[in-house]
Amino acid sequence: NYNIEFSFLYNLCYFTGMIDTSYNAIQTLKRSIQDELRTTTELLQRYELEFFLQRLDTLSPMNAGGFFSITNGSLTSMLSVRLDY
């Protein structure tokens, strides 16, 4: 019984970690596009970079239906409470 619970929690933490890593990579990409946008003078390239920034702004980290964000910290907290009781 504990093996199934641990396996589920491990997979949930791993999955959340991968989503968190992906979100951080997107934020890094967003910063590099913003830096390139500051130095670009060509109108078409500026338009494309602004379009990509708008698309990236629509992405958000994993959340529970918009009620709260699920991060590695919140999962660690849930796991520690579960192991304590």
Side-chain angles (χ1 to χ4, degrees), residues 8-77:
F8 175 75
L9 287 173
Y10 175 79
N11 287 332
L12 182 62
C13 289
Y14 179 78
F15 179 67
T16 304
M18 293 304 295
I19 290 173
D20 190 49
T21 300
S22 298
Y23 182 74
N24 290 336
I26 289 171
Q27 295 306 308
T28 301
L29 175 63
K30 209 169 131 177
R31 283 190 292 277
S32 68
I33 290 174
Q34 288 169 338
D35 290 342
E36 190 172 342
L37 188 58
R38 282 189 205 103
T39 60
T40 302
T41 57
E42 186 181 329
L43 188 60
L44 180 59
Q45 189 174 7
R46 289 185 63 79
Y47 176 75
E48 289 175 348
L49 291 171
E50 288 172 357
F51 173 76
F52 287 133
L53 277 177
Q54 289 174 357
R55 294 297 299 257
L56 291 174
D57 282 340
T58 63
L59 301 175
S60 64
M62 188 168 73
N63 61 38
F67 292 107
F68 62 91
S69 292
I70 300 172
T71 62
N72 286 337
S74 61
L75 284 179
T76 303
S77 175

